[in-house]
Amino acid sequence: MQSFHGVDGSYEGTVGDSSTERLIMQELEMKNGLETMLAEQRVTAERYKANFSLLEAQHVQLRSETQQLKDDVAQKDNELQNCGKRFENQIMRLEGEKERLLLDIESLKSKILTPAKLENLRQSLLRDVELIYKQHLAQTEDEVEMYRKELNKLKFDHNFLKTEYENCQNEFCPKA
């Protein structure tokens, strides 16, 4: 008979014994079960390693993408700030131009003739023109009066000279 030691070395028996065979079979089944479990654990471990490698690669990729996105956000933020400054400058320039145009409008409004201003201007021009014509008329009337007096004086002198002439003719040349 052959003796058999167990896995832990505690059992000793003979091969021909049925209980011993059953124990050996159980130990073999258990050993096969452990080897199967070990093989499954190795497959699972390999799958975990593959998943870990994949996740690690994805993590590196995501970190890279995150950094790229942060850089893009920083660039866009910088562009936005520059654009905002440009717009603020343009707004300030346009507000200055608006103020200048409003002043120009107010200046032009003061120059625009309203109906009341137009009537005042018409009255003023009418007075000025009437004054000019009145002055001219007065001057003309003065000249007419002066020429009338001169004419009357000339008529008087003419009548006087005519009378003198007639008197002289009557004295020196009597009528026959």
Side-chain angles (χ1 to χ4, degrees):
M1 285 211 151
Q2 211 177 10
S3 67
F4 175 75
H5 295 285
V7 177
D8 59 359
S10 62
Y11 178 75
E12 199 174 295
T14 58
V15 175
D17 197 345
S18 72
S19 66
T20 307
E21 270 183 31
R22 203 175 30 222
L23 284 175
I24 292 174
M25 289 305 278
Q26 285 177 352
E27 280 185 29
L28 282 176
E29 284 177 15
M30 193 165 82
K31 185 178 178 185
N32 285 340
L34 286 174
E35 286 177 358
T36 305
M37 278 178 40
L38 182 62
E40 288 174 359
Q41 288 299 319
R42 285 184 182 148
V43 168
T44 303
E46 287 299 318
R47 196 171 55 233
Y48 284 158
K49 282 182 186 178
N51 282 342
F52 179 77
S53 296
L54 178 65
L55 288 174
E56 191 174 37
Q58 287 176 346
H59 176 71
V60 168
Q61 181 182 359
L62 288 175
R63 183 179 290 159
S64 173
E65 288 175 5
T66 300
Q67 186 60 44
Q68 181 66 35
L69 288 174
K70 284 180 181 178
D71 292 345
D72 288 348
V73 166
Q75 180 184 359
K76 296 297 180 188
D77 188 43
N78 193 15
E79 289 174 7
L80 184 62
Q81 287 176 356
N82 290 337
C83 192
K85 288 177 184 176
R86 263 195 338 263
F87 285 142
E88 285 176 9
N89 290 338
Q90 189 172 11
I91 286 171
M92 288 173 57
R93 184 182 57 81
L94 290 174
E95 283 177 349
E97 188 174 335
K98 179 186 82 169
E99 290 299 320
R100 184 187 56 80
L101 289 174
L102 286 175
L103 291 174
D104 288 349
I105 288 171
E106 289 301 319
S107 171
L108 290 174
K109 278 183 180 179
S110 66
K111 294 177 184 176
I112 291 176
L113 292 176
T114 62
K117 286 182 181 179
L118 185 61
E119 183 60 28
N120 287 342
L121 180 62
R122 189 180 72 76
Q123 292 295 329
S124 175
L125 290 174
L126 189 59
R127 279 192 304 272
D128 292 346
V129 169
E130 282 180 354
L131 180 64
I132 292 171
Y133 279 108
K134 283 181 182 179
Q135 288 173 348
H136 184 67
L137 181 61
Q139 186 180 4
T140 305
E141 285 177 349
D142 289 345
E143 286 180 23
V144 167
E145 189 60 35
M146 181 185 74
Y147 289 129
R148 189 176 289 138
K149 285 180 184 178
E150 180 108 8
L151 180 62
N152 286 339
K153 183 179 174 193
L154 287 174
K155 280 184 183 179
F156 178 76
D157 286 346
H158 175 67
N159 283 337
F160 176 75
L161 290 175
K162 186 177 167 186
T163 307
E164 285 288 319
Y165 175 76
E166 285 176 1
N167 284 340
C168 272
Q169 260 187 348
N170 285 338
E171 273 181 37
F172 296 110
C173 300
K175 279 191 187 180

